[in-house]
Amino acid sequence: MSTSGHLRQGVSAFASVNALEASDPNLEATRLGGEAGLSLSFGRLTLSGAAGARRLDPELAESRTAATYRGRIGYRPVPGFGLSLGYSRAPFDEIASLIERNLDLEVLDVGFDARPFTGFSIYGSGSGLWLNDGNTRTGALLGITQKFARRFFVGLFGRTLSYERRGVGSGHARGSDVHAAG
């Protein structure tokens, strides 16, 4: 659940709470969390940041509370083109077995979006991810969408991820996927 509100010209606040009951064939875990943040706009520049915490209760490992924080800077030199840089830190807590591992991740990403003509968008980003167990991941994505009619679009999305070494939650050492949307 989330909420946001405009505080004054160029300043918005937002907050969210979340809950997850995760299970897999061998484990169960729960997550409760919340965060609050601000977004500031100065003409073509936007800054946003948020901080919070997540309470992680795994079935076998010790429970813990992990801090979360994130920040993003965006710059739009012209209306149809934007750049962004972001950083975040959070527990790696998407499934029960990851909650058991007490993993934290830090992500740094840089991206762009462009609308060269009406109804057409292209976007992309590159990222680095660092886990507190010493593993790292690099990634890149690229997508395009074309709007047609009033409420429909088609698009393609491609992503590649590469972990330094295999481990719990990392899947394959190297991988990529491509999706079509419509």
Side-chain angles (χ1 to χ4, degrees):
M1 183 171 88
S2 63
T3 186
S4 62
H6 181 76
L7 299 178
R8 63 184 181 100
Q9 180 70 24
V11 180
S12 298
F14 53 91
S16 66
V17 295
N18 61 74
L20 171 70
E21 181 120 358
S23 63
D24 59 36
N26 301 312
L27 299 169
E28 292 185 5
T30 59
R31 173 188 76 202
L32 296 173
E35 78 169 0
L38 288 173
S39 179
L40 309 169
S41 295
F42 308 98
R44 297 178 179 163
L45 185 67
T46 302
L47 303 170
S48 65
R54 292 185 190 165
R55 179 69 181 168
L56 305 170
D57 291 310
E59 184 177 358
L60 302 175
E62 198 169 312
S63 296
R64 71 182 180 122
T65 300
T68 64
Y69 43 89
R70 59 189 169 101
R72 179 160 298 283
I73 183 170
Y75 179 65
R76 192 162 291 284
V78 295
F81 181 76
L83 299 168
S84 65
L85 175 67
Y87 170 82
S88 64
R89 182 198 182 282
F92 199 7
D93 57 5
E94 297 172 357
I95 59 175
S97 61
L98 289 174
I99 293 173
E100 289 283 336
R101 296 280 315 265
N102 291 327
L103 292 172
D104 293 319
L105 55 88
E106 295 181 69
V107 179
L108 181 65
D109 66 84
V110 61
F112 78 93
D113 67 273
R115 292 183 309 270
F117 48 88
T118 303
F120 181 80
S121 298
I122 184 168
Y123 56 92
S125 73
S127 64
L129 176 141
W130 297 268
L131 291 162
N132 63 334
D133 71 352
N135 204 358
T136 61
R137 181 186 79 195
T138 55
L141 67 85
L142 183 65
I144 58 171
T145 60
Q146 175 65 55
K147 184 177 179 179
F148 65 96
R150 288 186 73 158
R151 299 183 182 182
F152 298 99
F153 72 92
V154 294
L156 289 173
F157 173 84
R159 174 179 71 173
T160 184
L161 302 171
S162 178
Y163 282 85
E164 182 180 326
R165 66 178 192 280
R166 295 184 127 191
V168 174
S170 65
H172 300 290
R174 301 208 183 280
S176 62
D177 54 8
V178 175
H179 301 277

